[in-house]
Amino acid sequence: MAKSDVKLLGAWTSPFAMRPRIALNIKSVDYEFQEEDWLVSKSELLLKSNPVHKKVPVLIHAGNPICESLIIVQYIDEVWSSGPSILPSDPYDRATARFWSAYIDDKWFPSMVAFLFAQEEDAKKAAIAQMEEGLVPLEEAFGKCSKGKAFFGGDRIGFLDIAFGCFLGWLRVIEKAGGIELLNETQTPSPLKWAERFSSDIAVKELLPDTDKLAEFRKKAQAKMTANN
Amino acid sequence: MGDEVKLFGSWASPFSRRVEIALKLKGVSYEFIQEDFSNKSPLLLKYNPVHKKVPVLLHNGKPIAESLVILEYIDETWKGNPIYPEDPYERAVARFWAKFIDEKCMPAAWKACTAEEEQEKAMEEACECLKTLEGALKDKKFFGGETVGLVDIVANTIGFWLKVIQEMMGVKLLTAEKFPVLFKWSEEYVGCPIIKRDLPPSDELMVHFRAILKRAK
């Protein structure tokens, strides 16, 4: 398939945009990447391709736009079906992967946002407590999903690895800023070890942003948003 | 086949009703267990410890929670009368709208109907959502085309529950004047046999909502 047939609108700072990139890497699909500098302005193509949410990531395949990161990942898995599978083959395992991915986005991610935008110390502490608490169920989830193997997806990274692993960059920024260990030996030993393996995976390695660069970006973003308000 | 299927749900919950629509569509026999929100059963808490909510589908002893996850599971497990489109792009579009309805549309609509402060702003946002959703319908009979599909099933909140709430609260949100195409869809929708049988009686639903709103105060 020609490279120009597959285009991804994303941003190096966006964990959501990382998800389809990992998926495309797993499938060895050549694609054109367009970096959206969303702090400055959104491109016409982005606004046209995702008029409802005006957000990255957007996959444009054979002229069709697909939006929402996990929907894009499933699309990639279904279209490039000859490559390694991203979702498990068993319907119950698929449901489990989808359940935990939804949990991460709907229940855990908001606490991460709360920390990143918190101004007062109290609010920051509360957000951290929520983040820590929210990670605890992933210890058991890892056991159930991995079935003794290296990743949530088994021998290779899969849907849930991608759904959660994309947050590791920001997780590390928060850990550094807060002087804490969100993934730790006591409560989440399995995800802690998994994080190392995930980060060094060939489909992921080059996509995880440098922690210091991301922290720099965060300062810039905070300054801009405060100025806008 | 020896399938054992149980559904922990509630007559008043659109999320629970979605699963019932899907199971009936597929011709799957199931045992329904009505859950009382003020007194959740130990089994519900055991099978959905993370959210402690209905619906939970139990298939041969294995629990699945979250209505959208359950719908996809049902479609993948029982092949007849497909709910999801077959084409990957169409599937992605269907998943998109299902997510939009649950995450943006219905919450905005609920807020517009029940907000005591900033009602005008809430109304504006809800109207924007409904307009967007109406755009997805275009000139089709249903979101799924000629027949009801995933998005229609998920839109039970918009097609029925919203109408009950707005009537109860005296809010004119989804009207024929404002959203002719979406309104027309909602009329067809509630008359559709596979949907109709899983719509609770409006008056009982209103009593149920009043109790919820009272408790929230």
Side-chain angles (χ1 to χ4, degrees):
Chain A
M1 185 147 289
K3 195 175 181 169
S4 58
D5 252 5
V6 188
K7 188 170 189 167
L8 186 78
L9 310 181
W12 69 274
T13 55
S14 163
F16 300 103
M18 197 187 303
R19 291 169 168 176
R21 298 189 78 179
I22 298 172
L24 289 166
N25 282 353
I26 289 172
K27 301 283 189 178
S28 302
V29 174
D30 253 334
Y31 65 99
E32 186 191 331
F33 178 70
Q34 177 168 307
E35 177 79 36
E36 289 284 328
D37 191 359
W38 58 271
L39 254 194
V40 173
S41 72
K42 296 181 181 186
S43 76
E44 274 226 32
L45 183 58
L46 176 61
L47 297 176
K48 177 179 140 198
S49 314
N50 191 358
V52 177
H53 302 297
K54 307 176 174 61
K55 285 182 178 173
V56 294
V58 179
L59 182 76
I60 302 171
H61 180 214
N64 289 327
I66 300 108
C67 309
E68 296 293 282
S69 61
L70 294 181
I71 292 176
I72 300 172
V73 171
Q74 289 184 92
Y75 174 82
I76 290 169
D77 199 29
E78 288 164 14
V79 169
W80 287 279
S81 50
S82 55
S85 288
I86 294 173
L87 270 164
S89 49
D90 173 71
Y92 189 73
D93 293 340
R94 291 158 78 88
T96 306
R98 287 177 176 132
F99 173 86
W100 285 110
S101 304
Y103 168 81
I104 283 159
D105 280 359
D106 302 339
K107 292 272 170 287
W108 184 73
F109 176 66
S111 60
M112 180 184 248
V113 174
F115 174 81
L116 290 170
F117 283 95
Q119 308 275 15
E120 325 274 304
E121 273 312 308
D122 279 347
K124 282 186 191 164
K125 281 206 180 108
I128 287 190
Q130 253 198 313
M131 284 186 79
E132 281 175 330
E133 206 186 302
L135 288 171
V136 172
L138 293 177
E139 174 68 30
E140 198 186 313
F142 185 81
K144 284 209 173 114
C145 296
S146 66
K147 300 177 198 190
K149 305 266 171 82
F151 300 103
F152 286 96
D155 281 318
R156 279 188 326 257
I157 55 174
F159 193 71
L160 186 50
D161 299 275
I162 295 172
F164 181 43
C166 66
F167 290 111
L168 289 176
W170 280 104
L171 206 87
R172 286 173 184 146
V173 167
I174 294 171
E175 286 183 330
K176 216 168 176 180
I180 44 159
E181 280 183 342
L182 288 168
L183 290 178
N184 53 65
E185 276 295 340
T186 342
Q187 296 196 292
T188 51
S190 308
L192 177 64
K193 293 189 194 82
W194 159 85
E196 271 313 298
R197 293 192 291 268
F198 179 82
S199 306
S200 10
D201 188 276
I202 194 163
V204 174
K205 225 158 57 178
E206 262 140 49
L207 295 173
L208 272 178
D210 174 77
T211 311
D212 293 328
K213 282 206 178 105
L214 206 54
E216 262 304 316
F217 170 83
R218 185 193 170 198
K219 282 204 193 103
K220 237 169 82 183
Q222 276 175 320
K224 181 141 205 230
M225 291 194 213
T226 323
N228 285 349
N229 293 341
Chain B
M1 191 166 167
D3 261 339
E4 196 198 50
V5 183
K6 290 185 185 180
L7 177 66
F8 294 84
S10 166
W11 66 272
S13 159
F15 308 101
S16 170
R17 289 290 189 165
R18 287 171 182 174
V19 176
E20 293 204 82
I21 292 170
L23 289 170
K24 287 187 179 110
L25 198 57
K26 303 278 188 173
V28 177
S29 307
Y30 62 98
E31 184 194 330
F32 180 78
I33 296 134
Q34 171 65 32
E35 283 288 330
D36 177 6
F37 296 139
S38 53
N39 187 19
K40 295 177 182 181
S41 75
L43 279 180
L44 177 66
L45 299 177
K46 172 181 159 190
Y47 291 131
N48 192 2
V50 175
H51 303 296
K52 306 175 175 52
K53 283 181 180 177
V54 297
V56 177
L57 185 76
L58 198 69
H59 184 205
N60 295 330
K62 288 170 152 178
I64 303 115
E66 294 294 281
S67 67
L68 295 185
V69 176
I70 298 172
L71 287 178
E72 198 134 19
Y73 176 81
I74 289 171
D75 208 38
E76 289 174 0
T77 305
W78 292 281
K79 296 296 183 185
N81 290 332
I83 293 168
Y84 283 72
E86 213 188 300
D87 172 69
Y89 178 67
E90 296 303 324
R91 287 163 82 86
V93 172
R95 285 178 178 133
F96 177 90
W97 291 115
K99 193 169 192 243
F100 177 77
I101 287 166
D102 275 3
E103 289 184 4
K104 297 266 181 280
C105 218
M106 195 54 193
W110 175 267
K111 202 171 167 190
C113 290
T114 60
E116 285 178 5
E117 296 163 3
E118 297 198 330
Q119 210 272 343
E120 227 177 88
K121 184 175 173 216
M123 194 67 172
E124 229 175 81
E125 279 174 23
C127 283
E128 216 182 292
C129 280
L130 290 182
K131 185 149 181 241
T132 301
L133 189 63
E134 190 175 56
L137 198 48
K138 290 180 202 133
D139 51 6
K140 296 179 288 177
K141 187 174 178 192
F142 297 111
F143 288 97
E146 272 308 297
T147 53
V148 157
L150 173 74
V151 180
D152 301 278
I153 295 174
V154 170
N156 63 352
T157 45
I158 306 290
F160 182 75
W161 268 257
L162 170 57
K163 285 166 119 180
V164 174
I165 300 167
Q166 69 179 19
E167 191 192 316
M168 186 178 100
M169 304 300 289
V171 172
K172 289 184 168 30
L173 178 54
L174 176 54
T175 63
E177 295 76 39
K178 287 199 203 130
F179 308 103
V181 175
L182 192 63
F183 189 83
K184 179 160 177 257
W185 163 83
S186 72
E187 302 271 273
E188 286 267 13
Y189 183 74
V190 300
C192 195
I194 61 160
I195 299 296
K196 207 160 120 171
R197 63 188 169 188
D198 274 301
L199 296 178
S202 314
D203 46 359
E204 287 178 38
L205 197 56
M206 282 196 205
V207 172
H208 176 81
F209 278 142
R210 286 201 180 99
I212 291 177
L213 289 170
K214 204 169 173 191
R215 268 203 299 272
K217 286 195 172 146

